[in-house]
Amino acid sequence: MKAKSGKRFRWAAIIAVLWLPFFSLPAFAERIKDIASMQGVRGNQLIGYGIVVGLDNTGDQTTQTPFTTQAIGNMLSQLGVNLTTEQATKLQLKNVAAVMVTTSLPAFAKPGQAIDVTVSSMGNAKSIRGGTLLMTQLKGADGQVYAIAQGNILVGGIGATSGNSKVTVNHLSAGRIPGGATVERSVPTAVGQGGFVYYELANSDFGTAQSMVETINKAMGAGTAQALDGRRVAVRTPEDADARIAFLGRLESLEVKTALPYAKVVINPRTGSVVMNQKVTLDPCAVAHGSLSVVVDGAQPGTGQGADIQVNQANGTLMNVKAGVSLADVVKALNALGANPLDLLAILQALKAAGALRADLEVI
């Protein structure tokens, strides 16, 4: 009897071991370069003040934005066109707008490299669509010029105006110029000082840090890597520069087993875009959604009647949102609310604050 019991126990143990992988949490393999960044290797923010020309009467109203007129006068004087103070103050250029130009100088960027820039109106321009940014110096925090920007602006929106009526799709006061800036000065970036480089995980996780250390030590030799905390990992590198570059290139391609990917919802308030990954889930909750509209009918001159103002509020109902354990369930629940993309931004923030949205919110 004891022999049979022992045999049964061994078979039960074997079956349990065979079935264990099916009940354990799945692991994902990610490259080190995808989950961590090297400390000290980062971009640098650049900013500049510029002028956009070529607009279709949608530029700044110079009477309300005197800095636009002043900038035009300074630019013309540098080009050999001298205006008196009285002439400069009388400029009415509706096809010109003052803008701020921003970008990030990538690590290891060298002179001559092209980078993208973002152009944003700082006056009261109605739209910068179709405009051209004139040569603009982009400076860093130290006041030095690191890039020069110029080019035609791409705006992801459209608008039309007729009389007192106006229709706008997306945001027209900001746009981008792909490859619109040329790097003029590089920022020295030291790698491997003191024989060590430090990797920082994108998200603090002790398990991922330990898994990363084990992967590096297995591939590069024991004692090569050491976890300092839940975010930083110190890696010993060769002293020779060529050997260090080859070592880091091989290191970044190593695959590390990580836990389930983080649930995240990314929202863009300017375009109303909402993007979520497959790990987003919902807990049961109740949501009341209604809309408030204000309609102002301007007074007609000479009629003696004031403006007609009407306030309309839709009947908001309290809706029961069922729990969603998959992306399809979440999308179905949100669509049942009947909200447009802009309303959905507020609903998602409220769901997160109430603890019903199991995901991180990121605004871009």
Side-chain angles (χ1 to χ4, degrees), residues 118-186:
T118 300
V119 182
S120 305
S121 172
M122 62 176 298
N124 54 7
K126 298 178 182 178
S127 171
I128 61 172
R129 180 181 177 88
T132 300
L133 175 69
L134 301 183
M135 186 180 297
T136 303
Q137 295 181 346
L138 301 181
K139 299 181 180 180
D142 57 357
Q144 300 292 327
V145 177
Y146 287 90
I148 301 294
Q150 182 171 281
N152 298 324
I153 304 173
L154 298 179
V155 177
I158 191 172
T161 303
S162 178
N164 294 329
S165 301
K166 179 181 178 181
V167 177
T168 302
V169 179
N170 292 338
H171 204 67
L172 302 179
S173 299
R176 290 181 62 84
I177 306 179
T182 303
V183 178
E184 300 292 337
R185 185 196 302 265
S186 61

Side-chain angles (χ1 to χ4, degrees), residues 9 53 111 271 328:
F9 178 78
V53 299
T271 61

Side-chain angles (χ1 to χ4, degrees), residues 336-356:
L337 298 175
N340 59 42
L342 294 179
D343 292 335
L344 192 58
L345 303 182
I347 293 176
L348 288 172
Q349 295 180 59
L351 290 174
K352 177 64 176 178

Side-chain angles (χ1 to χ4, degrees), residues 8 55 75 87 120 130-131 150 163 170 176 179 206 236 299 303 311:
R8 292 175 180 174
L55 303 176
M75 182 194 67
Q87 291 174 334
S120 305
Q150 182 171 281
N170 292 338
R176 290 181 62 84
F206 286 96
R236 189 185 303 274
T303 62
V311 179

Side-chain angles (χ1 to χ4, degrees), residues 179-245:
T182 303
V183 178
E184 300 292 337
R185 185 196 302 265
S186 61
V187 177
T189 304
V191 178
Q193 293 291 331
F196 282 90
V197 295
Y198 299 90
Y199 279 92
E200 297 180 348
L201 295 175
N203 299 284
S204 297
D205 190 292
F206 286 96
T208 303
Q210 182 60 30
S211 179
M212 180 176 171
V213 169
E214 294 174 354
T215 301
I216 296 175
N217 288 337
K218 182 178 180 180
M220 303 298 186
T224 303
Q226 178 183 3
L228 303 180
D229 48 41
R231 181 178 290 269
R232 290 193 306 160
V233 175
V235 181
R236 189 185 303 274
T237 60
E239 295 293 338
D240 181 68
D242 293 337
R244 182 165 60 247
I245 296 301

Side-chain angles (χ1 to χ4, degrees), residues 33-84:
K33 66 187 301 181
D34 295 329
I35 62 174
S37 60
M38 193 179 303
Q39 183 176 337
V41 179
R42 63 178 183 85
N44 292 274
Q45 303 300 321
L46 304 180
I47 188 172
Y49 172 82
I51 294 294
V52 172
V53 299
L55 303 176
D56 187 14
N57 291 330
T58 59
D60 292 337
Q61 297 179 10
T62 53
T63 55
Q64 301 178 6
T65 55
F67 49 85
T68 304
T69 304
Q70 183 179 358
I72 290 294
N74 294 338
M75 182 194 67
L76 292 177
S77 64
Q78 295 177 4
L79 297 177
V81 180
N82 296 320
L83 299 177
T84 63

